[in-house]
Amino acid sequence: MGKKILFILFLLSIYRSSYGQEFEILSFEEKILDVSAQIHPQKDKNGKNCGIIRVLLNEPNAIFEGSYLVGNPEPFNGGYIIYIAEGGKKFAIKHNNYLPIEVYIPTYDIKSIESNKTYEMVVFTKTSDIDKSTEYELVELKNKAHNGDVSAQYQLGKIYANGIDVEQDYETAQKWYQQAADNGSIDAQYDLGMCYYYGQGVEKNYHRAFEFLSKAAKSNNMFAQFRLGVMCSKGEGVTIDLKKSVEWYSLSANNGFAFAMNNLGVAYDKGAGVEKDYKKAVSYYQKAAYEGIGAAQYNLGLCYRLGLGIEKDCEKAIYWYKKSAEQYSADGQAGLAGCYLTGTCVEKDIQKALEWNQKAIEQGNANAQYNLGLCYSMGWGMNKDEKLAFECFLKAANQGLGQAETNVGAYYNEGIGTKKDIKKAVYWYTKAAEHEDAIGERNLANLYATGNGVPKNINLAVSLYLKSAEHGDMIAQYNIGWYYENGVGIRQNQQEALKWYKLSAQNGFPNAKTRLNELGINN
């Protein structure tokens, strides 16, 4: 149940509508660790298991069509599950209020749908600026476009990009986008930038993508601003610049893009490119959560549970965890499972915990693997089995989950569920410390303090105890108090010693209370 912030790096692609509304495919990617397609198989006409696409589209009554589709879509709160035969490359989404779009899968760096694999597509909707009365008469549009009509040029680009009553043709679309962009169309500048970003109709080129997206962003296109924030954070076409990334996210968020609000919240939460500020993080999470962004709902629930930037509120924490979980957010599902598992903010219910946790396990979620490890370790809802617990913790640790890395280190250190191996214990404690897990930092400090498996190094031990104490570990708080009191590995400072003893005692560590009593301090 560790703190895991979801940082969304979505790929944007706009589709225009003659109905005044349009879809945007924000991302389409394979979920490598997700085994949903294997656990819930659907056979195609050749008897092979299909691939699953989880479509996150918060719009009821959507219709999915295409020769590769198998069976009927399965709706859930905030989206649909669709099954695609192996080798599938395209399908269409239709809705009475939106322009039908044809999704050509290879443009998202996926050659084709593979059997037993799970994919996730996130779709966002927005108002279209294409006139509802437009009938897409190609001859008339082409005449206008050749005569310099910027709107016609842009519409032609959109028609060929989406395959609206014509064969989908990204190269032709790119040419019309280029003409419209050269003539000052902001939307065309954005779409042309995304052509270069994806490699649609042109060779993929992040530098050119950044060039055209910058033009659109400077004209206040919030999608271009968001994409530039992503590119600056990932170093796509530019050197990684987290400060500049925050600037672009801020502009996009101020223009109303909810995904940018969540990413901006993450930046303030983690102190990435900006000074850490939990209150600002919560403010942005709230805005994005109310817009229905599952990641933001999880992040907000986490803040309410831990009291980060806002008063601790168990009822609201569970509310937002549930909202996130119902939208197929694996972190929301695992977070909710963790609460039911331990009775945190809700009455303990092992059965509900296991049900929600299984959903997240199927998606390959690290927190869910960690929860399952706890169940095996403690015998919650199943027979106690430390070997299986170790295997679960190891799976989560291999995904970089700090507290799982700590547990793997502890299992190697003690020889629980696996052969004792102090070198591997040091390795995993070090990984946990790098991820700022407080217990991992303290356990690694213990090894350096005693010279167990590593050369004895009191100064390094004290440094690690201090980090662990600052991250809230009550035992490390007591330990660093002792080092300050006795001047071991650090300059003696009685005032600092009392500060840490008191904090440790307030957090419930009995040794700290005893020491304060010995010193005649009323705690």
Side-chain angles (χ1 to χ4, degrees), residues 43 50 86 91 133 136 191-192 209 227 243 248-249 310 369 381 392 496:
K43 302 288 186 181
C50 295
E86 184 176 43
F91 62 93
S133 64
Y136 296 117
D191 282 349
L192 184 58
R227 177 51 47 195
K243 185 177 180 181
W248 285 119
Y249 285 144
I310 198 166
Q369 288 288 356
C392 291
E496 280 293 305

Side-chain angles (χ1 to χ4, degrees), residues 137-147 152 156 160 176:
E137 295 289 347
L138 280 179
V139 174
E140 181 181 352
L141 272 178
K142 285 181 178 180
N143 286 336
K144 289 182 178 180
H146 285 301
N147 288 325
L156 280 172
Y160 281 104
W176 286 115

Side-chain angles (χ1 to χ4, degrees), residues 267-298:
Y268 279 108
D269 196 321
K270 296 172 70 71
V274 69
E275 186 175 347
K276 184 178 287 191
D277 188 327
Y278 288 128
K279 287 185 178 180
K280 285 187 177 180
V282 168
S283 175
Y284 285 110
Y285 288 153
Q286 287 174 326
K287 292 176 182 178
Y290 280 111
E291 290 292 325
I293 307 303
Q297 292 168 342
Y298 167 74

